[in-house]
Amino acid sequence: GEDVEQSLFLSVREGDSSVINCTYTDSSSTYLYWYKQEPGAGLQLLTYIFSNMDMKQDQRLTVLLNKKDKHLSLRIADTQTGDSAIYFCAESTNNAGNMLTFGGGTRLMVKP
Amino acid sequence: DVKVTQSSRYLVKRTGEKVFLECVQDMDHENMFWYRQDPGLGLRLIYFSYDVKMKEKGDIPEGYSVSREKKERFSLILESASTNQTSMYLCASSFLGQTLDTGELFFGEGSRLTVL
């Protein structure tokens, strides 16, 4: 079955860049997502990328997709304390959103 | 704004009790989901529903059941709660859209259940 893996924890200093990595196994993934979960809250979609793209940029966020290696990354430039959260990578092979497979989540801690 | 509301943020129950977790969405979404979230394991799908009275098992349905009598409401039921069901439960919804739908899920804030 599908598997999505992420490292558990990342710590950076305020102002530095953060890079959160994710690997997945399903080569038929059509959409890949990054969700953010702030303390005490549900998940919110941060950004997504179609599998036929290799990069997407949205303000401080850059998503890189290496489809050959099944590797997805999220780069946050100029990381702020408000970026401290858990970041989940997810994949879907169905754009109706029926079945997303989530990674275990990476807790990002931003030190002042 | 899309709103997914889970009725209870925190619950404490005893082993063997019946537990109802309620979820309501106000965006006329066809799809609704129940996940449980455990540290390091991410989100695991328990059940989902793509229409009223329809339900499909997810990855970990054992010990759970669901009910979808109305489009906006999806309930998760633990018939006899056990300590290994202590977890954060997240409800989500989405459109059953096609080409314009990114498949985004809209999540509630979660219900943290402790079973003693």
Side-chain angles (χ1 to χ4, degrees), chain A:
Chain A
E2 304 100 357
D3 198 17
V4 180
E5 295 194 353
Q6 309 175 231
S7 54
L8 285 179
F9 189 75
L10 176 66
S11 177
V12 300
R13 292 207 175 274
E14 193 173 19
D16 287 351
S17 292
S18 308
V19 179
I20 303 171
N21 294 301
C22 170
T23 57
Y24 60 97
T25 57
D26 190 344
S27 57
S28 61
S29 296
T30 53
Y31 293 76
L32 294 127
Y33 308 83
W34 285 104
Y35 280 81
K36 178 183 181 183
Q37 184 182 34
E38 295 184 353
L43 279 69
Q44 283 194 305
L45 182 66
L46 202 55
T47 187
Y48 65 92
I49 188 167
F50 299 126
S51 60
N52 62 358
M53 299 168 65
D54 52 20
M55 187 180 97
K56 181 178 181 181
Q57 187 145 6
D58 183 3
Q59 299 182 330
R60 292 191 296 122
L61 305 179
T62 304
V63 179
L64 295 177
L65 175 61
N66 181 328
K67 204 172 176 186
K68 174 176 166 289
D69 294 338
K70 301 191 187 70
H71 182 267
L72 182 75
S73 68
L74 173 70
R75 179 176 180 268
I76 305 172
D78 187 25
T79 313
Q80 302 297 306
T81 53
D83 295 323
S84 293
I86 303 176
Y87 291 82
F88 290 91
C89 170
E91 63 164 0
S92 171
T93 55
N94 177 341
N95 72 347
N98 280 353
M99 300 294 287
L100 265 65
T101 301
F102 286 86
T106 300
R107 184 178 293 275
L108 174 64
M109 179 177 288
V110 182
K111 299 177 184 174

Side-chain angles (χ1 to χ4, degrees), chain A residues 28-33 35 45 48 50 91-102, chain B residues 28-33 35 45 48-51 68 92-106:
Chain A
S28 61
S29 296
T30 53
Y31 293 76
L32 294 127
Y33 308 83
Y35 280 81
L45 182 66
Y48 65 92
F50 299 126
E91 63 164 0
S92 171
T93 55
N94 177 341
N95 72 347
N98 280 353
M99 300 294 287
L100 265 65
T101 301
F102 286 86
Chain B
D28 204 33
H29 285 165
E30 292 86 0
N31 298 336
M32 295 190 76
F33 307 81
Y35 289 88
L45 182 63
F48 69 98
S49 168
Y50 52 87
D51 201 354
R68 187 133 182 233
S93 68
S94 72
F95 285 112
L96 191 68
Q98 296 297 322
T99 54
L100 296 181
D101 180 22
T102 62
E104 178 179 0
L105 295 183
F106 296 87

Side-chain angles (χ1 to χ4, degrees), chain B residues 11-57:
Chain B
L11 300 96
V12 180
K13 297 290 181 181
R14 295 203 175 275
T15 300
E17 281 192 270
K18 191 168 186 175
V19 182
F20 289 90
L21 298 179
E22 301 282 337
C23 175
V24 177
Q25 50 93 5
D26 65 0
M27 280 300 291
D28 204 33
H29 285 165
E30 292 86 0
N31 298 336
M32 295 190 76
F33 307 81
W34 276 105
Y35 289 88
R36 67 176 279 177
Q37 180 183 6
D38 300 289
L41 296 178
L43 275 68
R44 292 179 292 167
L45 182 63
I46 305 171
Y47 268 96
F48 69 98
S49 168
Y50 52 87
D51 201 354
V52 175
K53 295 195 186 296
M54 303 299 287
K55 61 184 179 184
E56 295 285 342
K57 292 180 180 179

